[in-house]
Amino acid sequence: MSNLIYILNGPNLNLLGQREPEIYGAETLADVEAACAEVAQGFGLGIELMQSNHEGRLVDWIQDARGAAAGIIINPGAFTHTSVAILDALNAYEGPVLEVHVSNVHRREPFRHKSYVSLRADGVIAGFGTEGYALAMRRMGSLLA
Ligand code: DQA
């Protein structure tokens, strides 16, 4: 089995650090990548962090993960709350899936309280800021140990 973890990010997460910093904080996706790479290395894992604003691209990457990635960490952004296609793709993936949200979606608008991806995720982290990604990476390490 591959030792690669895919860290997939949906729409607008390329703007982390610039977008609504009072909600999403000051760290960028590059900072997230560095933090996750460090944790992954401690577990003998590697990471590939990807971001797209396009639903189909995310579905393609999830399909690519089949047989290629040992686990998926995903923050689907707004597609969390809308995308049956992303859920279906994750259901066809055999490894562990961890869902991350930078903000505490449960304290926000009611439309953010529902997550299609949570129907598949083995664990969910929300409201831990960008630190949530490294925490998910730690959990992925112990799940795969
Ligand atoms: C988010 C929460 C979503 O509701 C929102 O659409 C995002 C980011 C988060 O990380 O807190 O784009 O997934």
Side-chain angles (χ1 to χ4, degrees), residues 57-88:
R57 179 70 62 86
L58 292 160
V59 169
D60 287 343
W61 285 332
I62 295 164
Q63 290 187 8
D64 290 347
R66 287 157 48 84
I72 295 176
I73 294 171
I74 184 165
N75 181 350
F79 293 143
T80 306
H81 319 297
T82 62
S83 181
V84 177
I86 288 175
L87 171 63
D88 284 350

Side-chain angles (χ1 to χ4, degrees), residues 11 19 24 75 77-78 81 101-103 105 108 112:
R19 162 202 193 202
Y24 297 110
N75 181 350
H81 319 297
H101 300 286
V102 176
S103 65
V105 284
R108 300 181 64 191
R112 295 186 204 274

Side-chain angles (χ1 to χ4, degrees), residues 5-135:
I5 306 302
Y6 279 10
I7 305 176
L8 303 180
N9 291 277
N12 300 306
L13 289 161
N14 54 315
L15 298 180
L16 264 186
Q18 304 167 41
R19 162 202 193 202
E20 300 181 274
E22 66 289 355
I23 296 177
Y24 297 110
E27 281 196 352
T28 66
L29 213 48
D31 297 326
V32 165
E33 187 169 24
C36 287
E38 196 179 320
V39 175
Q41 202 175 21
F43 286 99
L45 297 169
I47 65 165
E48 203 163 311
L49 186 144
M50 293 165 265
Q51 187 277 331
S52 178
N53 294 326
H54 304 277
E55 185 176 17
R57 179 70 62 86
L58 292 160
V59 169
D60 287 343
W61 285 332
I62 295 164
Q63 290 187 8
D64 290 347
R66 287 157 48 84
I72 295 176
I73 294 171
I74 184 165
N75 181 350
F79 293 143
T80 306
H81 319 297
T82 62
S83 181
V84 177
I86 288 175
L87 171 63
D88 284 350
L90 289 169
N91 279 335
Y93 174 72
E94 61 285 350
V97 174
L98 299 177
E99 177 181 354
V100 173
H101 300 286
V102 176
S103 65
N104 179 1
V105 284
H106 302 290
R107 201 174 69 177
R108 300 181 64 191
E109 304 94 322
F111 65 83
R112 295 186 204 274
H113 298 177
K114 180 186 169 85
S115 165
Y116 285 98
V117 170
S118 290
L119 292 168
R120 167 63 179 88
D122 297 290
V124 182
I125 289 177
F128 284 66
T130 45
E131 285 177 59
Y133 287 91
L135 293 170

